[in-house]
């Protein structure tokens, strides 16, 4: 991967950036994404945020090597602390766990003024993000699930709007877990992900059952059984 040729995962993320945006890529690592988006004329300018010194230096080098210093600023700092309110209109946070992405958004809430789009690519637990979006009045407007090199990735896009619009009341819990858009499409990557998750939960459940007295129900077991049931309902529909 380089700034001319992104991974399919990052290219999918870029495809949701509105043309002409001022973007912030939080946890930018090598800064491939902002360099690509600015080079292609998709983003007008970018801030690449990094909390770790090593990736921060490699982002700086990447931007300098691409001669994009006039359009891309690399800043060292935790989460959204690298941006000021009103400075960007689109925030990208990719390649981290969903709980970490949600906590970055929560901790930097006051920096979201003027931001119109969030593009979030959690490696796990997209549910934490869907919950945060609802609690903070962001409407999930698009979801994509893709497979690359045997790994499955989810890309969530949110705009300011009506947070419950994509969810149907009776299927709300399923929507939070599986994604209201993704569970309609049920593409191959989706089926693969949830068949794997289901198999893993079943294994955990059976190990728990072996270790316990039969018939004992605890919270964790009930949670796993509910999740297995939700996944089975969606996959078989
Ligand atoms: N966004 C790139 C991508 O999707 O390919 C890089 C993903 S990399 C796995 C995660 C990066 O996020 C690391 O470089 C890490 O240092 C950075 N990171 C983790 N927590 C962060 C935080 N709170 N604020 C800024 N950067 C963070």
């Amino acid at each position: 991967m380089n700034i001319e040729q992104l991974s399919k995962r990052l290219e999918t993320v870029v495809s949701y950036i509105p043309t002409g945006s001022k973007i912030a890529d939080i946890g930018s690592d090598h800064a491939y994404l902002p360099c690509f988006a600015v080079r292609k004329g998709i983003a007008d300018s970018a801030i690449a945020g990094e909390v770790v010194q090593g990736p921060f230096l490699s982002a700086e080098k990447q931007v300098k090597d691409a001669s994009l210093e006039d359009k891309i600023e690399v800043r060292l700092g935790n989460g959204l602390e690298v941006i000021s309110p009103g400075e960007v209109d689109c925030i990208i946070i990719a390649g981290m766990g969903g709980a970490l992405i949600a906590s970055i958004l929560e901790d930097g809430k006051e920096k979201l003024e003027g931001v119109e789009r969030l593009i979030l690519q959690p490696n796990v637990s997209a549910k934490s993000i869907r919950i945060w979006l609802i609690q903070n009045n962001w409407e999930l407007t698009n979801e994509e699930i893709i497979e690359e090199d045997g790994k499955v990735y989810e890309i969530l896009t949110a705009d300011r709007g009506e947070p419950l619009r994509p969810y149907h009341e009776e299927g709300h819990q399923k929507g939070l877990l599986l994604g209201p858009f993704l569970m309609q499409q049920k593409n191959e990557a989706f089926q693969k992900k949830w068949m794997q998750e289901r198999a893993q939960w079943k294994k955990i459940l059976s190990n728990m059952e072996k270790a316990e007295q039969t018939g004992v129900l605890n919270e964790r077991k009930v949670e796993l059984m509910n999740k297995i049931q939700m996944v089975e309902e969606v996959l078989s529909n």
Side-chain angles (χ1 to χ4, degrees), residues 82-217:
V82 297
I83 56 170
S84 303
E87 206 177 11
V88 298
D89 42 39
C90 172
I91 291 182
I92 295 137
I93 314 179
M96 303 175 204
L100 176 58
I101 293 177
S103 82
I104 288 175
L105 292 166
E106 179 64 23
D107 294 345
K109 261 184 192 178
E110 75 284 4
K111 305 293 182 68
L112 295 175
E113 189 191 312
V115 175
E116 286 165 13
R117 171 154 300 178
L118 302 172
I119 308 168
L120 310 166
Q121 185 270 297
N123 289 339
V124 291
S125 187
K127 182 179 175 181
S128 314
I129 295 179
R130 294 189 188 102
I131 291 172
W132 185 90
L133 292 173
I134 291 173
Q135 288 171 343
N136 291 278
N137 277 324
W138 285 86
E139 179 179 330
L140 187 66
T141 46
N142 216 319
E143 294 177 308
E144 202 166 325
I145 187 164
I146 58 158
E147 183 175 355
E148 182 173 44
D149 300 331
K151 288 194 191 134
V152 173
Y153 300 103
E154 284 164 275
I155 296 108
L156 278 56
T157 306
D159 296 334
R160 295 190 183 271
E162 179 47 61
L164 289 176
R165 199 196 314 257
Y167 299 92
H168 301 288
E169 212 175 301
E170 78 283 11
H172 191 99
Q173 286 307 320
K174 281 183 205 155
L176 285 178
L177 180 66
L178 297 128
F181 295 96
L182 300 177
M183 61 188 258
Q184 298 300 325
Q185 297 152 8
K186 279 198 276 184
N187 73 4
E188 228 174 272
F190 177 91
Q191 295 188 36
K192 178 174 174 174
K193 176 188 168 84
W194 291 109
M195 267 151 57
Q196 281 174 351
E197 294 277 356
R198 182 186 57 169
Q200 204 165 342
W201 294 333
K202 281 194 163 171
K203 210 157 142 196
I204 298 170
L205 204 53
S206 114
N207 287 339
M208 284 170 88
E209 276 162 0
K210 274 185 222 147
E212 281 171 4
Q213 283 174 299
T214 42
V216 175
L217 272 184

Side-chain angles (χ1 to χ4, degrees), residues 1 9-10 25-30 49-52 55 77-80 93-96 100 104 121 123:
M1 189 167 56
R9 172 181 67 87
L10 287 182
D25 180 31
I26 303 300
S28 193
D29 197 354
H30 30 60
E50 247 304 329
V51 74
V52 177
N78 187 7
L80 302 188
I93 314 179
M96 303 175 204
L100 176 58
I104 288 175
Q121 185 270 297
N123 289 339

